[in-house]
Amino acid sequence: MPAALGLDLILNSLNLWVFALRPPKEGRADLASILLHEERPDLGELKTVSDEVFASIAGDVQDILVPHANYSRMESLWLWFGWTQSNQLLAKTSSISPVAAVQADSRPVLVHPPMTVSTGEFDIVFTGEQGRDLQFARFVPGQDGATPKGSILWKIPLAAKPVVTRAALGPVRAKSPRRVLLGFQEKEGVALHLYDLADGKQPGPPVIAHIPNEFLLPNQQPALRVDDDGNTQAAVLLANPATPTNLSLADIVFPASPQNPPQVKPGAAKKLSAKPLAAALTYTILPNYPQRRDWAVLMINGKIVNSLADNEPMKPFGIPVVPLQLAAMSRATYFLTQLPDRVTLEPLT
């Protein structure tokens, strides 16, 4: 069943919001909201703060939309969440608010994660079903209980279908910039296109970082973050399709000033014991903690290789939710899994 992980900053820690669709009954499925907080960072233990049904949905749901926020949504009037059905993006600000809908030209393919800021905007970046355009949808809250409103603010063509995509919301101190990374496979190697959406405007030409003679690992969620000075950091996993178990990694810095070229730093990763199925990379975004970049690869045998362990691949208790979704906390990094009776987060070991 579809599930998604959202993040909120709160003091020097994070709230972890998990929204998951529960098995349908009589043609309708409950969308549950689960709020978790890290109680024992040293042991990788999470505490469930709340677990409640936020919506009852009829019909097939393709994706769940839970935003990353750069503020504490516990202090907000709007608790945005949403989902996709067919060609529609749907969203609500609370369990009792009306549903707002945006109609796309084709089935939207999400650029994870959605983003929300304290002024109430809920932003979703996506490509069309064929991957040949990049689009930006925004929902805004209704006034005095009115239905929220949504629209597609812009749409730009793409020369090719991206292999990997990722969005990131910068800190409030940097004016909450939205950035989007698209990774393309070209004859000469990898091309990473970074788009600066500022506060949601249509972007100009991207800044491009090239990684010659390399191949992007497909089905991965790259790492992407914006720092207080407006610099953007990214990380991707690389693997030749002829030898997909030989992983390498590249870290990229896109300076805030477009006059300064991107910097690419290649690095070794690990040898996999089986072919990769899905992967994700992430950064810690906690203030006052050393910066860390973690990654995990789910293999076709169901085991996970990750950057936090040099021992044998771990066997998750549940079935990892794909696309793979990570949250890097002060010590542990968690990933979203599906158990027979619920969705949960497990620490990488």
Side-chain angles (χ1 to χ4, degrees):
M1 300 297 289
L5 170 65
L7 303 178
D8 288 354
L9 281 173
I10 176 169
L11 299 176
N12 288 326
S13 61
L14 290 175
N15 276 329
L16 303 173
W17 295 89
V18 175
F19 277 69
L21 206 64
R22 289 177 172 157
K25 297 178 181 178
E26 298 178 354
R28 301 187 69 88
D30 288 337
L31 181 60
S33 166
I34 307 160
L35 173 61
L36 302 112
H37 195 77
E38 192 177 39
E39 193 163 64
R40 289 291 304 271
D42 54 328
L43 299 178
E45 289 185 359
L46 296 170
K47 176 184 177 182
T48 300
V49 179
S50 64
D51 184 341
E52 56 186 313
V53 173
F54 256 53
S56 179
I57 304 171
D60 292 332
V61 172
Q62 283 96 33
D63 296 288
I64 304 295
L65 308 174
V66 190
H68 284 199
N70 59 3
Y71 71 102
S72 173
R73 289 203 297 166
M74 300 293 289
E75 303 169 4
S76 172
L77 297 175
W78 307 289
L79 183 61
W80 282 108
F81 65 96
W83 62 96
T84 64
Q85 288 183 295
S86 186
N87 293 6
Q88 285 191 314
L89 300 158
L90 302 110
K92 290 164 63 79
T93 57
S94 72
S95 60
I96 60 173
S97 71
V99 178
V102 168
Q103 185 78 27
D105 295 334
S106 62
R107 180 182 177 274
V109 180
L110 299 182
V111 177
H112 294 276
M115 300 164 281
T116 189
V117 294
S118 60
T119 48
E121 296 92 343
F122 180 36
D123 296 336
I124 303 162
V125 184
F126 63 98
T127 68
E129 192 167 9
Q130 302 304 314
R132 299 304 294 269
D133 54 61
L134 186 68
Q135 303 186 49
F136 183 90
R138 170 167 287 172
F139 291 90
V140 294
Q143 299 297 321
D144 300 322
T147 302
K149 296 181 179 179
S151 61
I152 295 175
L153 298 190
W154 50 260
K155 175 181 178 180
I156 58 174
L158 298 175
K161 181 179 180 178
V163 179
V164 299
T165 65
R166 189 69 182 176
L169 175 64
V172 174
R173 289 182 294 275
K175 300 183 179 179
S176 301
R178 287 78 159 168
R179 303 274 163 85
V180 170
L181 183 77
L182 303 181
F184 298 91
Q185 193 65 54
E186 300 180 344
K187 290 182 179 179
E188 299 80 11
V190 170
L192 298 173
H193 293 210
L194 183 73
Y195 290 88
D196 183 2
L197 314 187
D199 60 358
K201 69 180 181 182
Q202 180 170 324
V207 177
I208 304 175
H210 293 280
I211 310 176
N213 305 315
E214 293 287 359
F215 296 84
L216 283 165
L217 181 71
N219 301 321
Q220 69 169 295
Q221 289 290 312
L224 191 67
R225 71 179 291 269
V226 185
D227 67 21
D228 291 348
D229 298 319
N231 304 302
T232 305
Q233 293 176 301
V236 294
L237 289 167
L238 307 166
N240 190 315
T243 54
T245 57
N246 293 331
L247 285 184
S248 61
L249 185 143
D251 291 295
I252 307 96
V253 175
F254 295 88
S257 172
Q259 282 73 41
N260 296 325
Q263 304 160 18
V264 179
K265 181 181 178 181
K270 291 185 179 180
K271 171 80 173 179
L272 303 181
S273 58
K275 290 183 178 180
L277 179 64
L281 306 93
T282 192
Y283 295 109
T284 52
I285 60 171
L286 290 170
N288 305 323
Y289 280 92
Q291 185 54 230
R292 188 177 82 242
R293 185 256 300 128
D294 293 334
W295 57 265
V297 177
L298 172 66
M299 300 180 291
I300 59 173
N301 59 10
K303 295 183 178 181
I304 290 179
V305 173
N306 68 84
S307 56
L308 297 176
D310 292 322
N311 51 5
E312 290 296 312
M314 69 171 291
K315 178 65 175 176
F317 290 104
I319 299 172
V321 174
V322 176
L324 213 57
Q325 300 176 57
L326 304 180
M329 307 292 275
S330 59
R331 299 188 190 182
T333 293
Y334 301 89
F335 63 102
L336 197 58
T337 65
Q338 176 76 59
L339 295 173
D341 59 339
R342 69 187 189 281
V343 170
T344 188
L345 287 163
E346 297 183 35
L348 291 173
T349 57

